[in-house]
Amino acid sequence: MPDPILEVERYELHAGPVYSFEPDRRDLFKLLGGGLVVLLAIKSNLHAQESGRGGRSRALPEDIAAWLHIAESGAITVFTGKAEVGQNIRTSLAQAIAEELHTSTTQISLVMGDTMLTPYDMGTFGSRTTPIMSPQLHKVAAAAREMLIDLAAAQWKVAAATLVVKDGQVRNPANGAALPFGELTKGKKLTKSISSDVRVTPAKDWQIAGHNLLKVNARSIVTGKEKYTSDMKLPGMLHGRIIRPISFNAKLLSADLKAAEKIPGVVAVQDGEFLGVACDDSAKLNRAADAIKTEWKQSPQPGSRELDTWLKSHPGATI
């Protein structure tokens, strides 16, 4: 059996992201206001399927992006390109932040999937949020915690190692003094970049992350009031569906779009091997896609036994 070829989504991922979130420090504070901004230097060697860029192993450019902001009021806002689509990451990501800042998840707001405000972090797919984004936000919040402690230590003229963070405050156990996060950041414009050696809380010591917690927006979810991306309706918005090859590496020989084009409001598109339909009513998409008559040239497909044998003889290979 020949070496398998890593095939990303061949059409959507030919081009990289069309924007780059690279504001300078002044622009960040115009956007977010005074307080503490935590930055992260992104360095990634992820494959094309994860990076959103064509070609194998093409790394994302180094980038500076804002991930967390603690306002002068003490409000904590977290920015992530991940989207809540029912998998409950709004709760789990808030837990990651709350764990490191030793505060309640009720004090944390997440801005999710907003392409104007959130850093580019590859999108929501493949169950990547928990193994990648959650550890990342642990580091982000741990960096914020360290800076808040340093600010309090400088104000009190004590060693940072003697101070603790709890309930949205930096506290001095020696004399009972406490400074809320907002008081520490008030009137200041502060930034902190995350170092590679930032110390996060070991999983064995977690008090919030990894524990049962009432789901954020639980009542609106169970009553059907919660809005997801599929509920979004904008003026002139179209819904689309891609017609996929019928098997791995199948090549499109011909396509007849006439029947799909006869459905009112439907636009059928062919661009090389790309096939798709779009319309203003998502209910029509399946009917329009099924109306396109296609002919494909298929490649021999390995059976499960062949694939199992190949994987055993190629440990660590990426398919």
Side-chain angles (χ1 to χ4, degrees):
M1 175 177 160
D3 288 356
I5 298 172
L6 175 64
E7 180 184 67
V8 301
E9 296 290 356
R10 291 175 293 170
Y11 317 114
E12 300 94 326
L13 303 185
H14 283 174
V18 295
Y19 68 92
S20 180
F21 190 96
E22 295 182 347
D24 61 23
R25 182 175 300 188
R26 181 177 299 175
D27 289 338
L28 276 175
F29 283 110
K30 284 182 180 178
L31 178 67
L32 302 176
L36 168 63
V37 173
V38 179
L39 307 170
L40 175 66
I42 303 175
K43 221 176 187 181
S44 174
N45 292 317
L46 298 173
H47 290 299
Q49 186 169 1
E50 296 178 343
S51 70
R53 297 175 181 272
R56 289 194 188 185
S57 302
R58 186 178 297 180
L60 288 168
E62 292 191 17
D63 194 351
I64 297 296
W67 293 89
L68 181 146
H69 178 244
I70 299 178
E72 297 178 354
S73 64
I76 302 167
T77 305
V78 181
F79 300 87
T80 172
K82 303 305 181 192
E84 171 62 65
V85 290
Q87 76 281 48
N88 199 29
I89 60 170
R90 187 177 290 277
T91 303
S92 62
L93 294 182
Q95 285 179 282
I97 296 293
E99 182 64 56
E100 301 299 339
L101 287 177
H102 304 291
T103 189
S104 169
T105 55
T106 60
Q107 303 303 310
I108 298 167
S109 298
L110 269 73
V111 176
M112 308 180 76
D114 185 322
T115 53
M116 180 171 287
L117 298 177
T118 63
Y120 174 66
D121 56 6
M122 298 171 288
T124 310
F125 65 96
S127 299
R128 309 302 292 167
T129 299
T130 297
I132 292 181
M133 183 53 56
S134 185
Q136 188 161 288
L137 291 185
H138 273 278
K139 292 180 181 179
V140 167
R145 183 187 67 230
E146 289 182 358
M147 189 169 189
L148 291 165
I149 289 176
D150 288 343
L151 288 170
Q155 185 166 326
W156 287 330
K157 295 181 173 55
V158 298
T162 65
L163 305 181
V164 298
V165 172
K166 188 176 182 181
D167 296 334
Q169 300 175 327
V170 180
R171 298 181 180 183
N172 186 344
N175 58 17
L179 284 170
F181 292 167
E183 191 170 328
L184 285 166
T185 61
K186 189 173 183 180
K188 300 181 178 68
K189 294 184 178 180
L190 306 162
T191 60
K192 181 174 179 64
S193 296
I194 301 171
S195 64
S196 59
D197 60 350
V198 62
R199 291 186 299 173
V200 299
T201 305
K204 64 181 179 61
D205 297 328
W206 285 352
Q207 300 297 313
I208 301 173
H211 293 267
N212 290 334
L213 184 72
L214 180 65
K215 184 179 297 187
V216 174
N217 298 339
R219 181 173 294 278
S220 63
I221 290 171
V222 300
T223 58
K225 293 180 180 179
E226 187 72 4
K227 299 299 182 184
Y228 298 101
T229 51
S230 56
D231 298 308
M232 184 181 295
K233 293 182 180 180
L234 298 173
M237 186 174 76
L238 297 178
H239 301 268
R241 179 180 167 184
I242 295 170
I243 289 81
R244 306 288 184 185
I246 59 175
S247 64
F248 180 71
N249 261 351
K251 302 298 181 182
L252 181 65
L253 297 179
S254 65
D256 184 350
L257 282 58
K258 294 177 182 177
E261 291 171 337
K262 290 180 180 179
I263 300 174
V266 168
V267 176
V269 177
Q270 179 178 4
D271 184 0
E273 290 195 357
F274 173 86
L275 289 174
V277 291
C279 62
D280 58 4
D281 181 0
S282 61
K284 295 180 182 179
L285 289 178
N286 287 344
R287 185 156 60 96
D290 291 341
I292 294 180
K293 305 303 180 184
T294 57
E295 183 182 359
W296 301 88
K297 179 181 179 181
Q298 300 188 64
S299 303
Q301 303 293 305
S304 58
R305 183 171 298 178
E306 290 177 282
L307 184 59
D308 184 58
T309 300
W310 188 91
L311 288 172
K312 287 180 179 178
S313 62
H314 295 74
T318 301
I319 298 179

